[in-house]
Structures are given as structure tokens and as C-alpha cells.
Amino acid sequence: SVDRRLLCEAGEVAPGGMLRVQLEGMDPLLVCNVDGKLYAVDDECTHAIASLSEGRLQGNIVFCPLHGGSFDVCSGKAKSLPCKQALRTWPIEVTDGKVYLLLK
Ligand code: FES
């Protein structure tokens, strides 16, 4: 069965915006709004210790604040050096204006 955990209200993440969400017992997640559609990925950069929420989102690409590497937040793929390892992506669902993380 699938366990749903509330991440945030959909209205908290405007188009082009990002929100860091820390759920108990989990690594921090980053909810991103790409042209009205929401995506969730790990918030910590895979290159070193940095919170991507402090970087910049341009379309579907998030730029790390520390060394400027980037990721596609839709696929998680690393897009520019020094980032090489993909970000983990997380399935979410938006119901009645609330964003849920889906856990198996
Ligand atoms: Fe993100 Fe280095 S920590 S690019």
C-alpha cells in the first residue's frame, strides 16, 4: 500500500518557485513548481553539502548555490558540472490543494 505524507499546500510554491520541506525521519526535500506543475527531489546537492533551496530555479533547472552545478528537477538528472550524480526524485500527488509525498 502507499503511504501519503503531507508536504505542503500547493499554493505555497508559486510557478518558478521552490520550497524546502523537512519531514520527520527523512532527508529534506525540495518541491519545485515548473510552469504550474510540481516536482519533488532531494534538497541536498549530490556534489557536496548544500541546500538547493538556496539556489535558483530556471525553468526545470535548479542551480546549486555552492559551486553552480545544476540538475533537471523533473528527471533528477545532473545537467552541469561539478554535479554528476542524479538527484533522487520523489512521487507526489496534488489533491484538494495539498501536496502529498507518496511512499511505498
Ligand atoms: Fe552543489 Fe557543489 S555542492 S555544486
Side-chain angles (χ1 to χ4, degrees):
S1 67
V2 176
D3 185 26
R4 300 195 314 170
R5 293 184 71 183
L6 182 63
L7 277 174
C8 61
E9 304 282 328
E12 287 180 82
V13 195
M18 303 188 279
L19 181 70
R20 183 181 195 269
V21 180
Q22 173 82 70
L23 294 182
E24 200 184 322
M26 292 190 59
D27 290 334
L29 301 183
L30 184 68
V31 180
C32 302
N33 186 326
V34 178
D35 296 329
K37 185 150 192 248
L38 297 175
Y39 297 87
V41 293
D42 274 346
D43 179 54
E44 188 173 286
C45 185
T46 60
H47 176 242
I49 308 294
S51 169
L52 294 172
S53 68
E54 290 166 15
R56 164 170 73 81
L57 183 65
Q58 252 178 21
N60 59 325
I61 305 294
V62 64
F63 291 87
C64 178
L66 195 51
H67 308 112
S70 65
F71 301 91
D72 180 333
V73 299
C74 305
S75 67
K77 283 187 182 147
K79 296 302 279 185
S80 60
L81 294 173
C83 302
K84 291 181 185 163
Q85 189 192 326
L87 282 179
R88 181 168 183 180
T89 58
W90 295 86
I92 59 173
E93 174 189 297
V94 182
T95 303
D96 293 335
K98 294 184 192 306
V99 184
Y100 295 94
L101 177 65
L102 303 178
L103 296 169
K104 289 216 172 134

